[in-house]
């Protein structure tokens, strides 16, 4: 967990610097008033800048009904409102279809693109085409390893291997001995990296369980069958919040005592952590991924700014447990955590 704590300290330092700059602006009555007015405008959905109305499109690998991407979009829309940006969104969990959606936005000559690289081979050519067309690209969530190679300005998200390692270490702290890592999207390199990272640091046994994430009854049935046939499994790790609920139901019907843990946070996960239904969650702050990606594209268009120095801008991981969940519930309920 040393690297996770270091990442949290670094993020805290950045936030402290931002807050310090805000406080200094408040020393001037004029500057403070202007900052306050801009904050009010952004909160009301009005632009806080007078730059041109640029168009930014986001194309993700999300399937339907994944609440994680709702939170990403909430962050992106808030930044777009502040930055006078027209925000467009499209998604497909099929790599080739995702690439076609990106191509459609290139053809529309958008001013910036935000893409995920869960299936990088399918996206490489179209991202290169965007950069050749002079459209700046930022990758989010998936594809930290490929982002720079593909020509993106930067990557915003968590390092999936480090996140997986944090899970393995947390399972050890909890005394777990045998775990399932439930992969709900085959071919997603980020998912494989999470489970591989967890296996690397976990002192017990870890086995990958592949399920069809587009069919929630199948997800539940697959986990239930595994728990029924192997009573030694004492932990189940899902890779997305919606699948945690299916795992909880599978545990109940299988009569298992396994702890259910998950990646990602939403209102239901926060409530389940508080009640003890879930053991822990790994938060990568999806709201921040959407917000920062849009804001960084605005900064690039306005001031040629690039953040990260060639390295990913990390938004996680952070291990959330029962003691943390209560303080975060109000944010999950409004769709920002």
């Amino acid at each position: 967990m040393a690297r996770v704590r270091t990442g949290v300290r670094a993020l805290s330092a950045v936030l402290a610097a931002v807050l310090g700059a805000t406080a200094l602006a408040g020393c001037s009555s004029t500057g403070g008033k202007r900052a306050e007015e801009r904050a009010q405008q952004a909160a009301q959905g009005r632009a806080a800048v007078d730059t041109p109305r640029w168009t930014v499109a986001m194309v993700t690998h999300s399937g339907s009904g994944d609440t994680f991407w709702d939170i990403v979009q909430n962050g992106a829309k808030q930044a777009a409102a502040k930055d006078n940006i027209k925000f467009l969104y499209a998604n497909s969990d099929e790599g080739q279809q995702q690439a076609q959606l990106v191509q459609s936005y290139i053809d529309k000559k958008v001013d910036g693109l935000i893409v995920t690289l869960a299936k990088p081979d399918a996206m490489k050519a179209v991202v290169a085409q965007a950069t050749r067309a002079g459209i700046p690209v930022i990758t989010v969530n998936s594809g930290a390893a490929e982002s720079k190679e593909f020509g993106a300005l930067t990557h915003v998200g968590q390092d999936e291997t480090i996140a997986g390692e944090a899970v393995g270490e947390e399972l050890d702290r909890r005394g777990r001995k045998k775990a399932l890592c439930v992969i709900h999207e085959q071919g997603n390199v980020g998912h494989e990296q999470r489970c591989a990272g967890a296996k690397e640091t976990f002192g017990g046994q870890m086995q990958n369980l592949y399920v069809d994430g587009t069919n929630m009854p199948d997800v539940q049935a697959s986990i239930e069958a595994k728990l029924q046939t192997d009573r030694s499994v004492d932990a189940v790790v899902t890779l997305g919040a919606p699948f945690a609920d299916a795992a909880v139901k599978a545990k109940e019907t299988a009569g298992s005592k396994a702890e259910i843990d998950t990646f990602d946070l939403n209102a239901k996960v926060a409530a389940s952590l508080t009640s003890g239904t879930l053991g822990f969650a790994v938060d990568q702050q999806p709201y921040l991924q959407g917000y920062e990606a849009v804001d960084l594209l605005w900064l690039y268009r306005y001031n040629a700014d690039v953040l990260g120095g060639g390295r990913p801008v990390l938004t996680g991981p952070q291990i959330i447990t029962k003691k943390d969940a209560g303080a975060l519930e109000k944010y999950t309920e409004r769709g920002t955590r």
Side-chain angles (χ1 to χ4, degrees), residues 17-328:
V18 172
L19 291 172
T22 304
L24 287 174
C27 293
S28 162
S29 59
T30 303
K33 183 178 180 181
R34 287 176 181 167
E36 185 177 338
E37 288 173 350
R38 288 184 183 128
Q40 289 175 347
Q41 288 173 349
Q44 294 166 4
R46 290 186 288 152
V49 298
D50 59 2
T51 47
R53 187 159 176 78
W54 293 311
T55 298
V56 168
M58 176 184 285
V59 184
T60 75
H61 64 276
S62 168
S64 59
D66 192 335
T67 57
F68 176 92
W69 294 102
D70 295 337
I71 302 172
V72 174
Q73 288 184 73
N74 287 343
K77 290 173 182 176
Q78 185 65 44
K82 174 181 71 71
D83 293 338
N84 192 31
I85 282 175
K86 180 180 179 181
F87 176 71
L88 305 175
Y89 180 82
N91 64 284
S92 174
D93 57 2
E94 295 293 332
Q96 291 301 326
Q97 290 181 16
Q98 186 188 0
Q100 290 169 10
L101 290 169
V102 173
Q103 182 63 58
S104 72
Y105 286 129
I106 295 172
D107 295 340
K108 291 177 181 177
K109 296 180 171 58
V110 297
D111 300 295
L113 273 166
I114 302 165
V115 301
T116 60
L117 302 179
K119 297 171 182 174
D121 290 344
M123 296 292 291
K124 184 175 184 178
V126 76
V127 171
Q129 186 171 340
T131 59
R132 285 196 301 270
I135 300 174
V137 178
I138 286 180
T139 60
V140 297
N141 182 259
S142 302
E146 296 83 9
S147 179
K148 185 176 181 180
E149 175 193 346
F150 286 12
L153 297 177
T154 193
H155 177 83
V156 182
Q158 72 180 3
D159 184 300
E160 302 292 17
T161 299
I162 292 175
E165 290 171 352
V167 168
E169 292 167 353
E170 184 67 21
L171 290 172
D172 278 342
R173 268 192 292 276
R174 292 167 173 268
R176 302 298 157 180
K177 302 300 181 185
K178 191 169 187 178
L180 294 179
C181 193
V182 183
I183 297 179
H184 61 266
E185 185 182 346
Q186 292 194 44
N188 185 319
V189 293
H191 290 182
E192 296 287 350
Q193 288 167 349
R194 289 178 182 181
C195 292
K199 188 174 183 179
E200 184 68 26
T201 56
F202 182 41
Q205 298 179 42
M206 177 162 287
Q207 177 183 350
N208 291 355
L209 178 65
Y210 293 89
V211 298
D212 179 3
T214 64
N215 185 340
M216 205 59 77
D218 177 74
V219 173
Q220 181 178 333
S222 298
I223 298 172
E224 179 183 338
K226 187 64 180 177
L227 292 176
Q228 285 176 334
T229 57
D230 190 348
R231 294 291 176 179
S232 64
V233 173
D234 59 6
V236 177
V237 180
T238 63
L239 303 186
F243 307 98
D245 189 48
V248 168
K249 292 175 182 176
K251 168 187 173 177
E252 293 171 352
T253 53
S256 170
K257 295 182 179 180
E259 176 181 280
I260 309 299
D261 307 304
T262 191
F263 278 76
D264 301 334
L265 186 68
N266 62 16
K268 190 162 189 178
V269 168
S272 296
L273 288 169
T274 300
S275 69
T277 305
L278 295 178
F280 67 88
V282 185
D283 185 25
Q284 59 174 307
Q285 300 186 101
Y287 180 90
L288 194 58
Q289 292 179 14
Y291 189 98
E292 287 301 318
V294 170
D295 209 33
L296 289 176
L297 281 173
W298 176 83
L299 284 165
Y300 182 77
R301 299 288 314 192
Y302 173 65
N303 205 44
D305 288 319
V306 178
L307 197 62
R311 295 180 179 273
V313 178
L314 298 183
T315 62
Q318 182 180 9
I319 299 293
I320 306 296
T321 63
K322 182 175 183 177
K323 66 181 178 61
D324 310 304
L328 297 177

